[in-house]
Amino acid sequence: MREFSFFMPTKLVFGQDVVKKAGAGLALGKKALIVTGRSSARLSGALDDVLEALSGEYVLFDRVENNPTGENCQEGAELARSENCDYIIAIGGGSPLDAAKVMAVLAVNEKSPLELYAQGWEKKPLPIVAIPTTAGTGSEVTPYAVLTIHEEETKKGLGGPDLFPAVAYLDPKYTASLPLQVTIDTAVDALSHLVEGYLSNRASSASDLAALQGIAVWGGVIPALRSGDISLQVREDLLFASMLGGITIAQTGTTFVHALGYPLTYFHDYPHGRANGIFMASYLEFTHAHAPERVEMVLELLDLPSLNAFRELMNELFADYVGKLHVPEERIRAYAEKAAQTKNVSYSRGTPSVEELTEILKENIL
Ligand code: NAP
Ligand code: FE
């Protein structure tokens, strides 16, 4: 019997020059806080387009770090308060987009970032316009923000229905300046959202709608990812697949791939998508025992003949990284114990035990 709800309130505008075409309609209020990383908003051309289209006032916060912390978000929120900004325009990869969501909350709620995890928030965050410059996180259509939490030595997601951006403008040309390895890292993040969402025990007919199309589109770009020849058409497909991945996990959340990936980012500086990619093949093998038809559907849509072919693909895309990390056994056990406590693991089919997670970690990073 089908039973589901589906909530995705972000207005999507996808295509060439959508920011320019929005013109004055880009503004959601009187004064914008524009949130970006250090260079990508300029490099991608997105900031120029925004400044050209925007007629109203703004103030720029261009200091979002990769894998942002709560303190980094506090800084931006203070600027929003002192400058009386009433909405946010976020430009960048998942880091600036996620940081902007937390700034939107902190700008109107007198709380510390850690308190948001423990207590939530009362006042409605500032509305956000999201403009992605990577094709990976899908943050422009999710109600999540992932922060680095030093107190807990990990990365942790914050979620809430009012964290969905109000509007997202997706223009593939903004991803054209991405270096090849970042293109691959982020593309694999998008794939992990689509696949984890489809294989999650929270998947529904509605989330499958996005996941299945996204996996098929991603399958079509495999030859380009392998060759490194990334045309604008491929960029468009990747951005579309990434958006569909976001729509999927907005409903399902992610599974244990993300839980195992966080320590690789926190302790070993692996970019998020690469940290997921290291575990994807083992994840499919584990999940095959619990949902064989679903795993086979993933392989079919990717046009890969076997689980082994999937592992070979990951080995090829991450040739410089697979088998290179040698984490001592006692640390592996600690990573598995921490991962086992996350919601991501409880959303995974077959709900892996600490022992099973330890085995998967050993298989890939011992
Ligand atoms: P990112 O951390 O936002 O950016 C990675 C690097 O790419 C940065 O150095 C960035 O430069 C650069 N960059 C971005 N766009 C570029 C462009 N068009 N041209 C050249 N360089 C560019 O990477 P990301 O993978 O998109 O985001 C990762 C973050 O998102 C992680 O914190 C992850 O946990 C989170 N995440 C969130 C969700 C969600 O649902 N909210 C889902 C998955 C992951 P700058 O420093 O100049 O910006
Ligand atoms: Fe992710």
Side-chain angles (χ1 to χ4, degrees):
M1 201 175 73
R2 286 195 173 84
E3 195 179 335
F4 64 83
S5 66
F6 184 90
F7 182 61
M8 210 302 282
T10 305
K11 177 182 170 183
L12 289 173
V13 192
F14 192 109
Q16 220 191 340
D17 295 330
V18 283
V19 169
K20 281 191 192 163
K21 286 177 190 158
L26 196 63
L28 296 182
K30 290 200 182 73
K31 185 167 185 178
L33 176 74
I34 301 183
V35 175
T36 74
R38 291 189 193 271
S39 63
S40 59
R42 288 183 185 86
L43 253 181
S44 62
L47 184 60
D48 281 347
D49 283 359
V50 165
L51 296 182
E52 197 184 309
L54 202 63
S55 47
E57 283 184 84
Y58 71 90
V59 55
L60 179 64
F61 181 85
D62 60 0
R63 293 193 303 276
V64 177
E65 307 149 355
N66 288 356
N67 304 301
T69 58
E71 296 73 56
N72 198 201
C73 299
Q74 278 284 25
E75 260 188 273
E78 272 158 31
L79 186 63
R81 265 200 298 260
S82 65
E83 293 278 340
N84 289 319
C85 298
D86 56 356
Y87 73 106
I88 294 182
I89 300 178
I91 308 171
S95 296
L97 266 46
D98 284 8
K101 292 176 183 178
V102 181
M103 290 174 195
V105 177
L106 293 175
V108 291
N109 290 276
E110 295 276 339
K111 286 181 189 287
S112 72
L114 275 187
E115 282 169 341
L116 301 181
Y117 285 89
Q119 310 162 1
W121 54 91
E122 291 83 39
K123 294 196 188 126
K124 207 171 155 38
L126 300 180
I128 298 177
V129 177
I131 305 174
T133 65
T134 62
T137 71
S139 178
E140 69 278 6
V141 287
T142 72
Y144 312 122
V146 186
L147 294 185
T148 297
I149 307 289
H150 290 305
E151 289 81 348
E152 299 180 27
E153 293 192 315
T154 190
K155 299 194 66 183
K156 214 169 164 181
L158 196 61
D162 51 16
L163 290 188
F164 280 105
V167 192
Y169 292 95
L170 298 96
D171 186 335
K173 75 169 181 242
Y174 297 146
T175 64
S177 50
L178 285 169
L180 180 61
Q181 195 60 54
V182 185
T183 302
I184 290 173
D185 292 340
T186 46
V188 171
D189 188 27
L191 178 67
S192 76
H193 297 159
L194 291 160
V195 171
E196 289 177 69
Y198 182 62
L199 299 179
S200 162
N201 56 27
R202 291 163 36 109
S204 70
S205 306
S207 65
D208 285 355
L209 202 64
L212 289 170
Q213 190 184 359
I215 297 168
V217 171
W218 205 97
V221 303
I222 291 175
L225 292 175
R226 285 192 143 127
S227 71
D229 182 12
I230 315 285
S231 64
L232 193 57
Q233 179 60 53
V234 170
R235 298 249 174 236
E236 180 186 310
D237 288 345
L238 282 171
L239 189 62
F240 183 55
S242 156
M243 182 200 83
L244 291 171
I247 292 174
T248 304
I249 61 166
Q251 314 306 317
T252 61
T254 53
T255 63
F256 77 75
V257 174
H258 272 66
L260 295 182
Y262 290 147
L264 293 204
T265 300
Y266 190 83
F267 292 107
H268 307 280
D269 269 342
Y270 266 42
H272 174 66
R274 188 181 307 163
N276 291 343
I278 295 290
F279 300 112
M280 283 280 285
S282 299
Y283 168 70
L284 285 185
E285 286 156 18
F286 177 88
T287 309
H288 191 265
H290 305 279
E293 316 79 25
R294 286 207 162 227
V295 173
E296 275 150 33
M297 175 62 92
V298 169
L299 295 174
E300 192 183 319
L301 290 173
L302 293 177
D303 200 18
L304 293 172
S306 63
L307 283 167
N308 208 30
F310 185 89
R311 189 174 281 280
E312 279 165 14
L313 173 66
M314 291 297 125
N315 288 351
E316 195 179 327
L317 296 182
F318 298 113
D320 293 339
Y321 307 97
V322 168
K324 298 283 157 59
L325 210 55
H326 299 290
V327 180
E329 209 163 333
E330 61 281 6
R331 284 196 74 86
I332 285 192
R333 180 80 192 176
Y335 294 176
E337 279 167 4
K338 194 176 273 184
Q341 291 162 14
T342 60
K343 274 191 291 192
N344 311 58
V345 168
S346 66
Y347 297 163
S348 309
R349 281 177 205 252
T351 326
S353 62
V354 175
E355 284 65 35
E356 286 168 317
L357 292 171
T358 305
E359 278 316 304
I360 291 169
L361 285 161
K362 278 190 187 169
E363 198 176 1
N364 296 289
I365 61 166
L366 186 65

